[in-house]
Amino acid sequence: MVCNKGSGQAAQCEGRRARQGEVRGRKRKTNKKDIIKQYRKLIAVLPNICSKTKVSKQSVVEEAIIYIEELQKQLLNNVEKQEECENWENRKTNKSDEENL
């Protein structure tokens, strides 16, 4: 709808714009609250950040990256150890099979 100045429709457009602005403002507030809530959740699972101290969002993200990298290293180590155990078990089984022949 095109609003022409001086017409009755202009007042309707102004009212509509005001309502749209209010809706956008509420959405922004809701999004900001959601973001803050998610940061709090992230802080709660990061071991190097005390949740009672005030920390910048940048620090939270940096610590999260470091923590994820540490978890990846641990996972790789565990997978390697598991493979070593399986290989050892296979060698042990193969030796016993050879001795039985």
Side-chain angles (χ1 to χ4, degrees), residues 11-91:
Q12 289 177 345
C13 288
E14 289 299 319
R16 189 175 302 132
R17 285 187 195 130
R19 284 191 302 273
Q20 288 173 345
E22 289 172 10
V23 169
R24 280 190 217 112
R26 275 188 248 129
K27 284 183 181 179
R28 275 191 223 119
K29 286 180 184 177
T30 303
N31 288 341
K32 189 172 182 176
K33 286 180 183 178
D34 289 341
I35 290 170
I36 291 169
K37 191 177 183 180
Q38 296 303 322
Y39 269 105
R40 286 185 183 144
K41 285 183 181 180
L42 185 57
I43 288 169
V45 298
L46 293 174
N48 295 338
I49 295 181
C50 179
S51 60
K52 292 182 180 180
T53 60
K54 198 161 190 157
V55 185
S56 71
K57 291 177 184 175
Q58 180 180 351
S59 296
V60 172
V61 172
E62 288 171 353
E63 286 298 323
I65 291 169
I66 292 168
Y67 185 55
I68 290 168
E69 288 172 347
E70 289 175 9
L71 291 174
Q72 286 175 330
K73 288 177 188 175
Q74 289 177 11
L75 180 62
L76 287 174
N77 287 337
N78 288 343
V79 168
E80 288 173 0
K81 286 179 183 177
Q82 182 67 31
E83 288 175 354
E84 287 174 9
C85 288
E86 289 173 0
N87 289 339
W88 186 78
E89 285 292 325
N90 288 339
R91 279 187 254 139

